[in-house]
Amino acid sequence: MSNQPLEAVRVLAPTGMLGAGFSEATVERGLALGADVISVDGGSTDSGPYYLGSATAKTTAAAVARDLRILLTAAARADIPLVVGSCGTAGTDAGVDWVAGIVADLQAEENLSLPVARIYSEQDPAELKEHLRAGRVHPLAPSGQLGAEVIESCQHIVGMMGHEPIVEALAAGARVVLCGRATDTAVAAAYPLMRGMPAGPSWHAAKIVECGGQCTTNPVAGGVLATVDTTGFTIEPLAPEAACTPISVAAHMLYETVDPYLMREPAGTIDVRDATYVALDDRRVRVEGSRFHPADQHTIKLEGARAAGYETMSFSAIRDPGILAELDAWAEFLRAMIIERVRQTLGLGSDEYAFDLRLYGHNAVLGELEPGGPPPREVGVMLLVNASTQTTATAVAKVANPLMLHLPTPGLPYLPSFAFATSPAEVERGPAYEFVLNHVVDSDPTAMFRTEHGDHAHA
Amino acid sequence: MPDRATPSIGDLAAEVRSKNAGPFWVTMELFMRDAAGYRIVADPAFLNETVVADLYRVAADDVRMFRIPSLNVVKISFPRPVPQGSLHDRDMHAGQHHVPLALLPVPEGTS
């Protein structure tokens, strides 16, 4: 592989998330179009703090292996690199090792010997506290200053890498780069940047392809190919039945971003205020005018999750129109009765545990923001209990069980029986977690990440 | 409930959507069907930071609005009022929180 600058770099983005699936034909189409690199995101915070807190993946191994088998064999056949971001959903060290293990198995099964690099992004609390003491840690809105005790309370903390550690791994000869937590964009921007493409188009193209086919008119059909060159980039869908339009591409800058024009990366800020989106034909869009402003200070964003008690869930349902007509009064009565019965039986005050009562079909999703509507036909009653131990959480749910079976509305002269969904009704959900870090560290681009070569997970 | 005679923002939009923007923010987009619909929702006399703050019970100072005429889009972002994944978070991806905004009736005589 030459490291000389190219005239253009073609980035194949097969899907928005490794393990979500894509048609093999769309990857073949990308190779036929001359893909120079395959990049795919393996994670996100979007499904909640559990995956970072527990260092486990949202995706199942078989789905990740299915996608990786296609991508590894495609990369080997075309002799192009494969970059995987945020391995194992949260990008913990365990997540990187988990994906590395899957890659090792697949390489053996497919008789491949692609050199692998693993880039670890978990952070040592002691080192972070040193950064904190030195004044190198800063809050992002809407968070406040960080305390050392918050760092100590986290189960896992990851730093989000930019493109630099990925470029280093590729330059060292890796053909498969398995990243811990990385920005979604860095995964796709790394190779164009490495091959000399300008920063504005490289980063903007990376943002547009980070969710695969989301920037097309048919997001479920497959991914996209972005051709980055010295003046801009051209984007086209991999599925023949899908199209990129100026609106579908421009609109993707809005997706999951606070600001539609400016987006901070570790090395600087993507600026698309002056970007133009022009249809080349009915499937391809040309984007020019994207800029990237290098930051005075390189920063690494932190993500941390800490334990937040244990949860037990119980689920019943109501169909009786008489109860449904007085549902809010019934729910208020249930809340009061749970608090009363827990005090009588378990001796716990209402500050020693917490619960959320959700009336699905009535107002569970929006709560007090619910604008209202016609009366529901049936309502699911979910009780979610949080306590400092699993035993306590389940005990509270069990105390609530007879109430969720038989509690009448105030004034009803008989005991109704409601529709429990399962037996036992209580489901122990295990430990709960919460996100607590929303801060950046002033740092060298690679100092907070550790790269190891070889696909065998470290001990 | 809005009067049936008065169209809502959602009635004039191709899509109204909401989603997390990281664990600490929620963001919403009104993709209006045409420039006429865009002019209605882009008018700060109708839709502004205070209206959004009242609808979602957040502080008006925290609401960020972007009016994008080239796409007929108004985008709104504010810090997530309920921490993602906490006991009282009923919408993990904040993907259903666009509904109160979509149901907001537009001013009479504008549509």
Side-chain angles (χ1 to χ4, degrees), chain A residues 46 254 256-258 356 364, chain B residues 19-20 75 77 84 88 90:
Chain A
D46 219 26
L254 311 176
E256 296 179 334
T257 55
V258 170
D356 197 37
Chain B
K19 195 82 198 284
N20 294 334
K75 180 175 173 71
S77 303
Q84 189 197 5
H88 297 286
R90 280 101 168 277

Side-chain angles (χ1 to χ4, degrees), chain A residues 83-457:
Chain A
V83 181
V84 183
S86 302
C87 285
T89 304
T92 59
D93 291 359
V96 174
D97 289 342
W98 181 69
V99 174
I102 294 170
V103 167
D105 291 347
L106 290 169
Q107 294 230 68
E109 289 170 27
E110 298 289 338
N111 284 319
L112 301 174
S113 51
L114 298 169
V116 173
R118 293 163 281 128
I119 310 177
Y120 294 97
S121 61
E122 270 199 50
Q123 303 300 313
D124 175 1
E127 287 178 21
L128 282 181
K129 282 193 283 183
E130 188 49 46
H131 286 304
L132 188 63
R133 269 193 296 275
R136 291 190 289 265
V137 180
H138 313 288
L140 298 173
S143 301
Q145 291 295 334
L146 187 61
E149 72 287 354
V150 177
I151 293 174
E152 287 163 5
S153 72
C154 287
Q155 254 67 26
H156 295 276
I157 298 172
V158 290
M160 292 180 91
M161 72 183 77
H163 65 289
E164 300 90 345
I166 303 170
V167 169
E168 266 194 11
L170 290 167
R175 302 299 276 167
V176 177
V177 180
L178 305 178
C179 308
R181 190 67 172 127
T183 72
D184 294 356
T185 31
V187 178
Y191 196 66
L193 290 169
M194 176 183 177
R195 302 309 302 268
M197 295 303 108
S202 295
W203 284 108
H204 191 185
K207 167 58 193 167
I208 297 301
V209 306
E210 50 109 8
C211 284
Q214 180 93 30
C215 64
T216 73
T217 57
N218 188 351
V220 295
V224 288
L225 184 87
T227 302
V228 184
D229 57 44
T230 53
T231 57
F233 67 95
T234 300
I235 182 144
E236 65 187 290
L238 296 172
E241 69 270 30
C244 286
T245 68
I247 297 280
S248 76
V249 174
H252 191 68
M253 251 338 264
L254 311 176
Y255 189 66
E256 296 179 334
T257 55
V258 170
D259 185 319
Y261 301 116
L262 301 172
M263 218 176 115
R264 181 64 204 252
E265 292 288 333
T269 301
I270 305 171
D271 178 352
V272 305
R273 284 175 294 191
D274 294 333
T276 58
Y277 303 81
V278 176
L280 292 182
D281 51 36
D282 57 4
R283 302 183 67 248
R284 297 182 303 151
V285 172
R286 176 72 184 168
V287 183
E288 297 189 348
S290 330
R291 287 174 291 168
F292 188 83
H293 308 294
D296 293 335
Q297 173 62 58
H298 197 284
T299 55
I300 298 297
K301 188 179 175 198
L302 301 175
E303 291 173 348
R306 70 178 174 199
Y310 292 78
E311 288 183 357
T312 298
M313 181 173 79
S314 183
F315 194 92
S316 188
I318 302 174
R319 181 62 180 82
D320 187 322
I323 305 287
L324 292 175
E326 294 183 70
L327 193 59
D328 285 321
W330 178 85
E332 235 5 85
F333 191 31
L334 176 58
R335 279 189 198 94
M337 286 297 292
I338 290 173
I339 291 167
E340 176 60 23
R341 287 287 296 149
V342 168
R343 184 179 288 114
Q344 284 173 4
T345 55
L346 304 176
L348 295 177
S350 57
D351 57 342
E352 294 176 273
Y353 64 100
F355 67 88
D356 197 37
L357 186 65
R358 307 176 178 187
L359 303 173
Y360 282 95
H362 179 54
N363 67 355
V365 176
L366 293 177
E368 60 182 11
L369 305 180
E370 175 57 54
R377 181 184 300 169
E378 63 183 25
V379 163
V381 180
M382 179 189 286
L383 176 71
L384 196 55
V385 182
N386 183 290
S388 58
T389 68
Q390 188 76 68
T391 306
T392 303
T394 298
V396 170
K398 288 191 173 198
V399 167
N401 183 300
L403 302 167
M404 290 177 70
L405 175 61
H406 284 313
L407 187 76
T409 46
L412 195 73
Y414 59 89
L415 284 186
S417 295
F418 300 120
F420 270 118
T422 57
S423 170
E426 295 76 23
V427 180
E428 295 193 333
R429 291 194 4 87
Y433 299 92
E434 60 187 345
F435 283 122
V436 285
L437 297 181
N438 187 36
H439 299 76
V440 294
V441 182
D442 297 340
S443 170
D444 172 83
T446 56
M448 290 171 70
F449 307 99
R450 307 168 316 282
T451 300
E452 295 181 28
H453 291 269
D455 61 4
H456 293 288

